[in-house]
Every structure is written in C-alpha cells, then in structure tokens.
Amino acid sequence: MLIVQKFGGTSVGDLERIQNVASRVSETKKAGNDVVVVVSAMSGETNKLVAYAEHFSSNPARAEMDMLLSSGERVTASLLAIALNEMGHEAISMTGRKAGIVTDSLHTKARIEEINPTAMNEALKEGKIIVVAGFQGVSTNGNVTTLGRGGSDLSAVAIAGAIKADLCEIYTDVSGIFTTDPRIEPKARKLTQISYDEMLELASLGAKVLQNRSVELAKKLNVNLVTRTSFSNEEGTLITKEENIMEKPLVSGIALDKGQARISLMGVADRPGIASEIFNKLAKSGVNIDMIVQNKAHNGETNIDFTIPSGDLNDAKLVVHSFVKDGDIKDESYNETICKVSVVGVGMKSHTGVAAKAFSAMAKENININMISTSEIKVSMVIDEKYGELAVRSLHDAYELEK
Ligand code: ASP
Ligand code: MG
C-alpha cells in the first residue's frame, strides 16, 4: 500500500516522541508499504514563532510571517529524516516547494492550487521514505506560503490525493471520532467508520481531531482518511465515502454546539425582497447564518428568527439596527443562552421516525425545543443552553449509540 502518515504537534512534541514516530514509520515501511510522512511543527513551536514576530511588530508583513512560520515544520521534517536514516532507512525530507505544493499568494492563509508530485514519485520509486514539512507551499511567484493554522492536515490530504495514496492516516493525541463527546457522555463509543458528510456535520466532535477544510478536501479528492492516536496501537476511525460503508447505522453521532446565538426580528415588513435584503447584508458583513425560521405573516408583518455563531453577533446587530432605523423591522431581540444539538446519520435517508424519536427524547426530559431544522442526514434542535448536555445524553440513549 501507499500510505500518507501525518503527525500533529503533540505527536512530535519532543525528541523522544519524534523517535517514537520514526519507529512507527519504520514499522509501516518494513511491513512492505511505501510511506510519505507529513509533519507539523513541535507543539507550541508555531505560537512561539508568532510571539517572536510580535516582539518587533504588531503588524508584521505576511510574507515574512510565512518565512518564519514555515521553519517550524522544517525542523521536525529534517529531524525525523535523520532519525529514520539512523535506523537504516533511506529517508529524505522535503519542503513544501520540493514536494511540489503550489499555492496562491495569500500569505498566511494560502490555498493550494496544484501539486506537482514528480519529486515525490521519483523518491518513492527509489524506495525512499519521504518526510514532508506540512503547512507550507510555494506561490506561483516563488515565495514561501503557509496554509493557515492547523494547515498540515490539509497538506497531508492534498498530497495523498496527488500521489493517489491508498490511505491517509492523521495521527493526534485522540484515538478517533466518537459517537459524542466522551466528557459529556462517558458511554460514548469510538466509531470504526463514518462518511465524509456525517463527519462534516459532526464538526464539533472532530474539531480537536482534524480540520473541516481537510475533510472537505478528502471528500473532493476521494482520499480515505483515518484518524488515530500516535500514543498506542489502537485502531482509529475511517472517514470515507458513503458507498464504502457497509453497515449504515441509523444515527452515527450527536453533536453539541454551544457557540450559537439566536436573533429574533419582530414586525418585519411582509413584502417580496425583504429577506433577500436582510440576509444579503448580513452575508456581506461576514455573518454566518445557520437556521432560519419565518412565521406566517399577519397584518402585513412577519417574524423571522435565525441563529448565528456567537462571534458574529456584533456584526449582525449593526445590520439589524440599520433595518430597524429604516422601519422595515419593528423590534429585535437576542438570545445568547441557546445551543444546538444535532443528530447525524446517513441511515436517516432510508428510515422514517428519526426526528420523531429526537423530539420524544426532549419531551421525556421536559426540554423545550425552540427551533428545528432537518436535512437528509441531520436533525438539529435549538434549545436552552443549560439543557445541552442533558439533551446529548438522552439522545445518545434514545438511539442506543452505546451499542
Ligand atoms: N504548525 C501549524 C500550526 O500550529 C500547522 C499545523 O500544526 O497544522 O498551526
Ligand atoms: Mg493540528
């Protein structure tokens, strides 16, 4: 097999851990696989470099930040190659440029435009282990770029896609994706597999494990992703396309999102175009809208409720105020003590009664549901924040996810 193994900051956090990573890579190679390793900087290293720059300037040139930050990953890549050589392997490290990762020129948050895997393919043909410095590329005009914080996951997935790897393993300090957050529900179970779409909907469960952007890219490039821990041999969770999942569970997981706020617009003028005006203006201000509920109009007026990430609240208020001033909205109210619980599963597509079961679980606990939204593979409910964890546990029970 051709395997990409990506090791995050904690997995390469000190020299002893880098040695452990070398042993794992060595075993993978000895088992007859071809291996491309992608590494992060040692944990804390990137933050330290950012702080160094801030010592001199509160607004350092972004191109210089990329020169600086890309060095953290190079340290780990070369050290790992040295360790592998010492173990008798032919290993070479590569910068993003050498690995052929071409990006646009948006320094500190560049997007990968293409990967030219010629150098990697040649080294693989010679039987070498390649260690790529993650998080970085080269712009079309030859400058070093970085892909945004946490970007080495993205490097790994993009490389796996470009060299058509059979598997892309993402190693962190977490052993995989769970049916829900084990700190909320100790009976949470590790999933053996999950589809890309479910993973994207369960973002809050995967947040500490891998970047959403990387899951999107894996879906696009059809890369089989595995998240697992570098601290034991425990099997992880496979994230793959739905067709590859043999036994489709009705529900795969329950996610809780506490960082939500609800905005209620009262007495909204009931005329064509008003929703478009309001939501276009919100979009222009960078406000991310999630659920929207509009009530039946009454006396030429209607009410519209919607949810947004709490961090966007101030921007949203400014927009709403402008409509209130113009008289198109009579009154506004805001609620930050809400949360969103979501039940996610591909099995919902072919089963009925999934939403009803969620509502029953809420009723049993006497939890009031404020808003509901559904998609093919998800049922989300907005409830009072203080019942969020109780809701997660009762849903986990209702769908028997511990089994
Ligand atoms: N070292 C970079 C960061 O801390 C990239 C990564 O670890 O993925 O954001
Ligand atoms: Mg990371």
Side-chain angles (χ1 to χ4, degrees):
M1 284 215 290
L2 173 55
I3 304 180
V4 172
Q5 298 188 317
K6 185 261 170 179
F7 295 91
T10 39
S11 302
V12 293
D14 58 35
L15 301 182
E16 197 185 323
R17 285 182 177 180
I18 293 176
Q19 185 67 61
N20 287 341
V21 165
S23 303
R24 186 179 290 268
V25 172
S26 168
E27 276 165 32
T28 313
K29 178 71 180 167
K30 281 189 191 146
N33 302 293
D34 287 319
V35 195
V36 175
V37 187
V38 177
V39 287
S40 282
M42 296 163 82
S43 60
E45 202 58 31
T46 308
N47 289 340
K48 196 176 88 189
L49 295 172
V50 170
Y52 282 171
E54 284 170 352
H55 177 78
F56 298 105
S57 166
S58 58
N59 188 24
R62 285 173 180 264
E64 296 305 335
M65 287 309 284
D66 279 349
M67 272 295 280
L68 179 66
L69 298 189
S70 61
S71 68
E73 269 69 11
R74 296 180 188 206
V75 170
T76 345
S78 46
L79 289 177
L80 182 56
I82 291 169
L84 284 164
N85 285 333
E86 193 60 28
M87 294 168 88
H89 291 286
E90 265 201 85
I92 48 161
S93 63
M94 291 188 182
T95 59
R97 174 203 290 266
K98 183 77 195 265
I101 301 174
V102 180
T103 71
D104 61 19
S105 295
L106 262 179
H107 285 288
T108 72
K109 46 178 180 225
R111 296 207 153 252
I112 298 175
E113 285 189 341
E114 57 166 334
I115 295 191
N116 175 356
T118 315
M120 285 193 287
N121 285 337
E122 264 167 30
L124 283 172
K125 222 185 286 159
E126 292 163 6
K128 289 179 180 152
I129 297 174
I130 304 171
V131 187
V132 181
F135 175 54
Q136 57 186 276
V138 61
S139 66
T140 36
N141 42 26
N143 297 313
V144 185
T145 53
T146 63
L147 309 175
R149 296 305 304 268
S152 47
D153 287 351
L154 208 60
S155 309
V157 173
I159 287 171
I163 63 174
K164 301 192 169 55
D166 299 290
L167 204 59
C168 178
E169 296 181 322
I170 308 278
Y171 287 88
T172 68
D173 48 358
V174 184
S175 65
I177 310 294
F178 286 72
T179 49
T180 196
D181 185 341
R183 286 167 308 181
I184 299 176
E185 173 52 273
K187 284 185 283 182
R189 184 175 47 84
K190 191 170 68 199
L191 294 159
T192 49
Q193 44 187 17
I194 186 170
S195 70
Y196 299 120
D197 291 324
E198 288 171 302
M199 189 64 233
L200 289 167
E201 296 288 10
L202 290 170
S204 69
L205 294 182
K208 282 141 275 152
V209 188
L210 79 166
Q211 261 193 337
N212 241 22
R213 249 173 101 195
S214 313
V215 182
E216 278 163 10
L217 187 66
K219 180 183 172 186
K220 193 170 138 201
L221 302 178
N222 217 342
V223 169
N224 288 315
L225 269 182
V226 169
T227 68
R228 55 188 300 182
T229 174
S230 57
F231 299 129
S232 77
N233 280 324
E234 214 179 306
E235 300 261 342
T237 303
L238 170 68
I239 305 164
T240 187
K241 65 176 174 201
E242 200 183 315
E243 293 80 359
N244 292 343
I245 295 178
M246 289 305 165
E247 242 180 78
K248 295 191 177 56
L250 185 60
V251 168
S252 292
I254 315 285
L256 172 63
D257 183 355
K258 284 182 171 172
Q260 294 266 315
R262 171 183 175 167
I263 301 184
S264 304
L265 309 178
M266 276 87 66
V268 181
D270 185 36
R271 59 172 166 80
I274 183 76
S276 141
E277 283 169 40
I278 296 172
F279 289 102
N280 272 315
K281 218 162 167 188
L282 286 165
K284 264 201 206 110
S285 303
V287 177
N288 247 308
I289 311 289
D290 187 13
M291 288 188 207
I292 306 178
V293 175
Q294 175 169 347
N295 289 337
K296 192 160 165 259
H298 184 69
N299 292 337
E301 283 177 357
T302 184
N303 294 343
I304 300 178
D305 280 47
F306 58 96
T307 60
I308 59 170
S310 303
D312 290 353
L313 191 58
N314 285 335
D315 290 329
K317 279 183 180 173
L318 290 176
V319 173
V320 171
H321 291 162
S322 72
F323 283 93
V324 172
K325 214 172 118 217
D326 293 344
D328 281 329
I329 296 174
K330 281 215 177 109
D331 207 0
E332 56 193 301
S333 78
Y334 302 92
N335 186 347
E336 279 186 271
T337 58
I338 58 153
C339 66
K340 182 175 76 172
V341 276
S342 303
V343 177
V344 175
V346 282
M348 284 184 204
K349 287 184 185 174
S350 49
H351 283 82
T352 55
V354 177
K357 191 174 234 169
F359 305 153
S360 304
M362 297 301 96
K364 217 169 101 193
E365 301 291 351
N366 224 342
I367 299 172
N368 194 36
I369 306 169
N370 297 149
M371 293 169 98
I372 298 165
S373 81
T374 60
S375 77
E376 256 197 320
I377 63 163
K378 180 173 81 162
V379 179
S380 292
M381 297 171 286
V382 168
I383 60 172
D384 204 326
E385 192 172 58
K386 63 175 182 274
Y387 299 125
E389 307 200 339
L390 175 61
V392 167
R393 284 190 290 269
S394 70
L395 290 165
H396 202 269
D397 259 3
Y399 296 103
E400 302 182 341
L401 294 185
E402 76 280 3
K403 287 188 187 151

PDB file of all heavy atoms in Angstrom, residues 11 14 16 33 36 76 129 132 137 147 154 164 168 174 193 207 228 248 255 274 290 312 331 342 356 358 384 389:
ATOM      1  N   SER A  11       2.255  14.839  18.689  1.00  0.00           N
ATOM      2  CA  SER A  11       2.899  13.570  18.342  1.00  0.00           C
ATOM      3  C   SER A  11       4.399  13.734  18.101  1.00  0.00           C
ATOM      4  O   SER A  11       5.151  12.760  18.192  1.00  0.00           O
ATOM      5  CB  SER A  11       2.254  12.958  17.098  1.00  0.00           C
ATOM      6  OG  SER A  11       0.881  12.748  17.304  1.00  0.00           O
ATOM      7  N   ASP A  14       8.354  16.330  21.415  1.00  0.00           N
ATOM      8  CA  ASP A  14       9.735  16.396  21.911  1.00  0.00           C
ATOM      9  C   ASP A  14      10.565  15.344  21.181  1.00  0.00           C
ATOM     10  O   ASP A  14      10.039  14.591  20.360  1.00  0.00           O
ATOM     11  CB  ASP A  14       9.796  16.237  23.438  1.00  0.00           C
ATOM     12  CG  ASP A  14       9.185  14.927  23.908  1.00  0.00           C
ATOM     13  OD1 ASP A  14       9.313  13.900  23.191  1.00  0.00           O
ATOM     14  OD2 ASP A  14       8.570  14.912  24.994  1.00  0.00           O
ATOM     15  N   GLU A  16      11.962  12.585  22.092  1.00  0.00           N
ATOM     16  CA  GLU A  16      11.587  11.197  22.345  1.00  0.00           C
ATOM     17  C   GLU A  16      10.371  10.816  21.500  1.00  0.00           C
ATOM     18  O   GLU A  16      10.292   9.716  20.948  1.00  0.00           O
ATOM     19  CB  GLU A  16      11.269  11.063  23.829  1.00  0.00           C
ATOM     20  CG  GLU A  16      11.252   9.641  24.334  1.00  0.00           C
ATOM     21  CD  GLU A  16      10.806   9.607  25.798  1.00  0.00           C
ATOM     22  OE1 GLU A  16      11.186  10.543  26.554  1.00  0.00           O
ATOM     23  OE2 GLU A  16      10.054   8.693  26.152  1.00  0.00           O
ATOM     24  N   ASN A  33       5.045  -1.372   2.906  1.00  0.00           N
ATOM     25  CA  ASN A  33       4.342  -0.217   2.342  1.00  0.00           C
ATOM     26  C   ASN A  33       5.303   0.856   1.851  1.00  0.00           C
ATOM     27  O   ASN A  33       6.450   0.918   2.281  1.00  0.00           O
ATOM     28  CB  ASN A  33       3.443   0.414   3.423  1.00  0.00           C
ATOM     29  CG  ASN A  33       2.455  -0.578   3.977  1.00  0.00           C
ATOM     30  OD1 ASN A  33       1.551  -1.035   3.278  1.00  0.00           O
ATOM     31  ND2 ASN A  33       2.629  -0.962   5.233  1.00  0.00           N
ATOM     32  N   VAL A  36       4.801   8.168   2.770  1.00  0.00           N
ATOM     33  CA  VAL A  36       5.105   9.596   2.766  1.00  0.00           C
ATOM     34  C   VAL A  36       4.623  10.132   4.115  1.00  0.00           C
ATOM     35  O   VAL A  36       3.467   9.926   4.485  1.00  0.00           O
ATOM     36  CB  VAL A  36       4.382  10.340   1.621  1.00  0.00           C
ATOM     37  CG1 VAL A  36       4.619  11.850   1.729  1.00  0.00           C
ATOM     38  CG2 VAL A  36       4.857   9.822   0.271  1.00  0.00           C
ATOM     39  N   THR A  76      11.046  19.714  12.265  1.00  0.00           N
ATOM     40  CA  THR A  76      10.561  18.356  12.540  1.00  0.00           C
ATOM     41  C   THR A  76      10.836  17.420  11.379  1.00  0.00           C
ATOM     42  O   THR A  76      11.216  16.267  11.587  1.00  0.00           O
ATOM     43  CB  THR A  76       9.035  18.348  12.791  1.00  0.00           C
ATOM     44  OG1 THR A  76       8.583  19.665  13.020  1.00  0.00           O
ATOM     45  CG2 THR A  76       8.687  17.498  13.961  1.00  0.00           C
ATOM     46  N   ILE A 129      11.747   6.760   1.947  1.00  0.00           N
ATOM     47  CA  ILE A 129      10.677   7.317   2.776  1.00  0.00           C
ATOM     48  C   ILE A 129      10.784   8.838   2.636  1.00  0.00           C
ATOM     49  O   ILE A 129      11.866   9.403   2.759  1.00  0.00           O
ATOM     50  CB  ILE A 129      10.858   6.940   4.261  1.00  0.00           C
ATOM     51  CG1 ILE A 129      10.783   5.418   4.447  1.00  0.00           C
ATOM     52  CG2 ILE A 129       9.817   7.644   5.124  1.00  0.00           C
ATOM     53  CD1 ILE A 129      11.099   4.964   5.876  1.00  0.00           C
ATOM     54  N   VAL A 132       7.637  15.168   4.512  1.00  0.00           N
ATOM     55  CA  VAL A 132       7.311  16.495   4.002  1.00  0.00           C
ATOM     56  C   VAL A 132       6.985  17.444   5.157  1.00  0.00           C
ATOM     57  O   VAL A 132       6.259  17.081   6.088  1.00  0.00           O
ATOM     58  CB  VAL A 132       6.089  16.441   3.045  1.00  0.00           C
ATOM     59  CG1 VAL A 132       5.758  17.830   2.487  1.00  0.00           C
ATOM     60  CG2 VAL A 132       6.332  15.456   1.913  1.00  0.00           C
ATOM     61  N   GLY A 137       3.665  25.801   1.311  1.00  0.00           N
ATOM     62  CA  GLY A 137       3.803  25.580  -0.117  1.00  0.00           C
ATOM     63  C   GLY A 137       4.654  26.690  -0.700  1.00  0.00           C
ATOM     64  O   GLY A 137       5.368  27.385   0.025  1.00  0.00           O
ATOM     65  N   LEU A 147      -0.517  27.658   4.939  1.00  0.00           N
ATOM     66  CA  LEU A 147      -1.898  27.333   4.565  1.00  0.00           C
ATOM     67  C   LEU A 147      -2.924  27.688   5.624  1.00  0.00           C
ATOM     68  O   LEU A 147      -4.063  27.244   5.548  1.00  0.00           O
ATOM     69  CB  LEU A 147      -1.994  25.830   4.273  1.00  0.00           C
ATOM     70  CG  LEU A 147      -0.959  25.265   3.294  1.00  0.00           C
ATOM     71  CD1 LEU A 147      -1.088  23.756   3.196  1.00  0.00           C
ATOM     72  CD2 LEU A 147      -1.131  25.905   1.919  1.00  0.00           C
ATOM     73  N   LEU A 154      -4.212  19.623   5.961  1.00  0.00           N
ATOM     74  CA  LEU A 154      -4.546  19.906   4.575  1.00  0.00           C
ATOM     75  C   LEU A 154      -3.410  19.451   3.647  1.00  0.00           C
ATOM     76  O   LEU A 154      -3.659  18.865   2.593  1.00  0.00           O
ATOM     77  CB  LEU A 154      -4.770  21.411   4.434  1.00  0.00           C
ATOM     78  CG  LEU A 154      -5.702  21.891   3.353  1.00  0.00           C
ATOM     79  CD1 LEU A 154      -7.105  21.344   3.540  1.00  0.00           C
ATOM     80  CD2 LEU A 154      -5.739  23.417   3.351  1.00  0.00           C
ATOM     81  N   LYS A 164      -2.144   9.663  -5.145  1.00  0.00           N
ATOM     82  CA  LYS A 164      -3.122   8.566  -5.157  1.00  0.00           C
ATOM     83  C   LYS A 164      -2.809   7.512  -4.096  1.00  0.00           C
ATOM     84  O   LYS A 164      -2.758   6.306  -4.369  1.00  0.00           O
ATOM     85  CB  LYS A 164      -3.196   7.925  -6.539  1.00  0.00           C
ATOM     86  CG  LYS A 164      -3.585   8.935  -7.615  1.00  0.00           C
ATOM     87  CD  LYS A 164      -3.944   8.257  -8.925  1.00  0.00           C
ATOM     88  CE  LYS A 164      -4.575   9.227  -9.890  1.00  0.00           C
ATOM     89  NZ  LYS A 164      -3.743  10.433 -10.161  1.00  0.00           N
ATOM     90  N   CYS A 168      -4.726   7.831   4.066  1.00  0.00           N
ATOM     91  CA  CYS A 168      -4.078   8.979   4.687  1.00  0.00           C
ATOM     92  C   CYS A 168      -4.382   8.930   6.180  1.00  0.00           C
ATOM     93  O   CYS A 168      -5.525   9.123   6.595  1.00  0.00           O
ATOM     94  CB  CYS A 168      -4.618  10.279   4.077  1.00  0.00           C
ATOM     95  SG  CYS A 168      -3.925  11.772   4.807  1.00  0.00           S
ATOM     96  N   VAL A 174      -5.759  12.020  20.110  1.00  0.00           N
ATOM     97  CA  VAL A 174      -7.111  11.497  20.306  1.00  0.00           C
ATOM     98  C   VAL A 174      -7.246  10.222  19.482  1.00  0.00           C
ATOM     99  O   VAL A 174      -6.724  10.143  18.382  1.00  0.00           O
ATOM    100  CB  VAL A 174      -8.165  12.535  19.835  1.00  0.00           C
ATOM    101  CG1 VAL A 174      -9.564  12.035  20.138  1.00  0.00           C
ATOM    102  CG2 VAL A 174      -7.913  13.879  20.495  1.00  0.00           C
ATOM    103  N   GLN A 193     -16.109   3.527  11.434  1.00  0.00           N
ATOM    104  CA  GLN A 193     -16.116   4.286  10.181  1.00  0.00           C
ATOM    105  C   GLN A 193     -17.268   5.274  10.128  1.00  0.00           C
ATOM    106  O   GLN A 193     -18.273   5.124  10.805  1.00  0.00           O
ATOM    107  CB  GLN A 193     -16.148   3.361   8.983  1.00  0.00           C
ATOM    108  CG  GLN A 193     -17.134   2.209   9.115  1.00  0.00           C
ATOM    109  CD  GLN A 193     -16.992   1.245   7.954  1.00  0.00           C
ATOM    110  OE1 GLN A 193     -16.000   1.258   7.251  1.00  0.00           O
ATOM    111  NE2 GLN A 193     -18.007   0.425   7.737  1.00  0.00           N
ATOM    112  N   ALA A 207     -13.518  18.507  15.890  1.00  0.00           N
ATOM    113  CA  ALA A 207     -12.752  19.746  15.920  1.00  0.00           C
ATOM    114  C   ALA A 207     -11.320  19.566  16.422  1.00  0.00           C
ATOM    115  O   ALA A 207     -10.396  20.117  15.852  1.00  0.00           O
ATOM    116  CB  ALA A 207     -13.475  20.783  16.766  1.00  0.00           C
ATOM    117  N   ARG A 228      -6.281   8.543  14.126  1.00  0.00           N
ATOM    118  CA  ARG A 228      -5.897   7.626  15.206  1.00  0.00           C
ATOM    119  C   ARG A 228      -4.835   8.266  16.077  1.00  0.00           C
ATOM    120  O   ARG A 228      -4.335   9.337  15.767  1.00  0.00           O
ATOM    121  CB  ARG A 228      -5.423   6.293  14.632  1.00  0.00           C
ATOM    122  CG  ARG A 228      -4.294   6.427  13.630  1.00  0.00           C
ATOM    123  CD  ARG A 228      -3.987   5.117  12.948  1.00  0.00           C
ATOM    124  NE  ARG A 228      -3.581   4.108  13.918  1.00  0.00           N
ATOM    125  CZ  ARG A 228      -3.225   2.871  13.585  1.00  0.00           C
ATOM    126  NH1 ARG A 228      -3.220   2.503  12.327  1.00  0.00           N
ATOM    127  NH2 ARG A 228      -2.861   1.997  14.509  1.00  0.00           N
ATOM    128  N   LYS A 248     -24.850   0.657   7.334  1.00  0.00           N
ATOM    129  CA  LYS A 248     -25.133   2.066   7.587  1.00  0.00           C
ATOM    130  C   LYS A 248     -25.979   2.213   8.844  1.00  0.00           C
ATOM    131  O   LYS A 248     -27.135   1.798   8.871  1.00  0.00           O
ATOM    132  CB  LYS A 248     -25.860   2.674   6.393  1.00  0.00           C
ATOM    133  CG  LYS A 248     -25.003   2.699   5.147  1.00  0.00           C
ATOM    134  CD  LYS A 248     -25.631   3.539   4.046  1.00  0.00           C
ATOM    135  CE  LYS A 248     -24.724   3.624   2.834  1.00  0.00           C
ATOM    136  NZ  LYS A 248     -24.300   2.351   2.248  1.00  0.00           N
ATOM    137  N   ALA A 255     -24.012  15.783  18.072  1.00  0.00           N
ATOM    138  CA  ALA A 255     -23.089  16.913  18.257  1.00  0.00           C
ATOM    139  C   ALA A 255     -23.770  18.013  19.061  1.00  0.00           C
ATOM    140  O   ALA A 255     -24.985  18.212  18.976  1.00  0.00           O
ATOM    141  CB  ALA A 255     -22.660  17.455  16.899  1.00  0.00           C
ATOM    142  N   ILE A 274     -37.658  41.399   0.994  1.00  0.00           N
ATOM    143  CA  ILE A 274     -37.132  41.839   2.280  1.00  0.00           C
ATOM    144  C   ILE A 274     -36.126  40.843   2.859  1.00  0.00           C
ATOM    145  O   ILE A 274     -35.060  41.212   3.354  1.00  0.00           O
ATOM    146  CB  ILE A 274     -38.278  42.147   3.293  1.00  0.00           C
ATOM    147  CG1 ILE A 274     -37.710  42.681   4.617  1.00  0.00           C
ATOM    148  CG2 ILE A 274     -39.163  40.940   3.545  1.00  0.00           C
ATOM    149  CD1 ILE A 274     -37.261  44.110   4.559  1.00  0.00           C
ATOM    150  N   ASP A 290     -27.140  30.161  10.227  1.00  0.00           N
ATOM    151  CA  ASP A 290     -27.368  28.717  10.283  1.00  0.00           C
ATOM    152  C   ASP A 290     -28.842  28.421  10.038  1.00  0.00           C
ATOM    153  O   ASP A 290     -29.283  28.329   8.908  1.00  0.00           O
ATOM    154  CB  ASP A 290     -26.861  28.176  11.621  1.00  0.00           C
ATOM    155  CG  ASP A 290     -26.919  26.659  11.680  1.00  0.00           C
ATOM    156  OD1 ASP A 290     -27.106  26.039  10.626  1.00  0.00           O
ATOM    157  OD2 ASP A 290     -26.790  26.100  12.780  1.00  0.00           O
ATOM    158  N   ASP A 312     -20.243  36.221  15.697  1.00  0.00           N
ATOM    159  CA  ASP A 312     -20.706  37.120  14.640  1.00  0.00           C
ATOM    160  C   ASP A 312     -21.788  38.071  15.138  1.00  0.00           C
ATOM    161  O   ASP A 312     -22.339  38.868  14.361  1.00  0.00           O
ATOM    162  CB  ASP A 312     -21.294  36.308  13.464  1.00  0.00           C
ATOM    163  CG  ASP A 312     -20.215  35.546  12.698  1.00  0.00           C
ATOM    164  OD1 ASP A 312     -19.028  35.760  12.989  1.00  0.00           O
ATOM    165  OD2 ASP A 312     -20.567  34.745  11.815  1.00  0.00           O
ATOM    166  N   ASP A 331     -38.969  45.430  15.770  1.00  0.00           N
ATOM    167  CA  ASP A 331     -38.297  45.144  17.031  1.00  0.00           C
ATOM    168  C   ASP A 331     -37.326  43.980  16.859  1.00  0.00           C
ATOM    169  O   ASP A 331     -37.503  43.156  15.966  1.00  0.00           O
ATOM    170  CB  ASP A 331     -39.357  44.794  18.085  1.00  0.00           C
ATOM    171  CG  ASP A 331     -38.858  45.143  19.491  1.00  0.00           C
ATOM    172  OD1 ASP A 331     -37.718  45.647  19.609  1.00  0.00           O
ATOM    173  OD2 ASP A 331     -39.618  44.892  20.443  1.00  0.00           O
ATOM    174  N   SER A 342     -27.448  18.259  17.490  1.00  0.00           N
ATOM    175  CA  SER A 342     -27.720  17.654  16.186  1.00  0.00           C
ATOM    176  C   SER A 342     -27.547  16.152  16.239  1.00  0.00           C
ATOM    177  O   SER A 342     -26.590  15.640  16.816  1.00  0.00           O
ATOM    178  CB  SER A 342     -26.770  18.217  15.127  1.00  0.00           C
ATOM    179  OG  SER A 342     -26.878  19.608  15.051  1.00  0.00           O
ATOM    180  N   ALA A 356     -38.894  12.169  14.934  1.00  0.00           N
ATOM    181  CA  ALA A 356     -39.897  11.977  15.987  1.00  0.00           C
ATOM    182  C   ALA A 356     -39.246  11.442  17.258  1.00  0.00           C
ATOM    183  O   ALA A 356     -39.563  11.858  18.366  1.00  0.00           O
ATOM    184  CB  ALA A 356     -40.978  11.024  15.488  1.00  0.00           C
ATOM    185  N   ALA A 358     -36.204  11.941  18.238  1.00  0.00           N
ATOM    186  CA  ALA A 358     -35.438  13.017  18.883  1.00  0.00           C
ATOM    187  C   ALA A 358     -36.374  13.907  19.699  1.00  0.00           C
ATOM    188  O   ALA A 358     -36.062  14.291  20.835  1.00  0.00           O
ATOM    189  CB  ALA A 358     -34.711  13.848  17.829  1.00  0.00           C
ATOM    190  N   ASP A 384     -32.470  25.582  25.121  1.00  0.00           N
ATOM    191  CA  ASP A 384     -31.819  26.372  26.151  1.00  0.00           C
ATOM    192  C   ASP A 384     -30.440  25.780  26.452  1.00  0.00           C
ATOM    193  O   ASP A 384     -30.301  24.575  26.596  1.00  0.00           O
ATOM    194  CB  ASP A 384     -32.706  26.301  27.411  1.00  0.00           C
ATOM    195  CG  ASP A 384     -32.480  27.492  28.301  1.00  0.00           C
ATOM    196  OD1 ASP A 384     -31.327  27.977  28.353  1.00  0.00           O
ATOM    197  OD2 ASP A 384     -33.461  27.943  28.926  1.00  0.00           O
ATOM    198  N   GLU A 389     -26.230  19.462  27.617  1.00  0.00           N
ATOM    199  CA  GLU A 389     -25.549  18.198  27.901  1.00  0.00           C
ATOM    200  C   GLU A 389     -26.550  17.099  28.241  1.00  0.00           C
ATOM    201  O   GLU A 389     -26.369  15.947  27.844  1.00  0.00           O
ATOM    202  CB  GLU A 389     -24.520  18.418  29.009  1.00  0.00           C
ATOM    203  CG  GLU A 389     -23.620  19.588  28.613  1.00  0.00           C
ATOM    204  CD  GLU A 389     -22.294  19.642  29.330  1.00  0.00           C
ATOM    205  OE1 GLU A 389     -22.186  19.043  30.412  1.00  0.00           O
ATOM    206  OE2 GLU A 389     -21.382  20.304  28.784  1.00  0.00           O
TER     207      GLU A 389
END
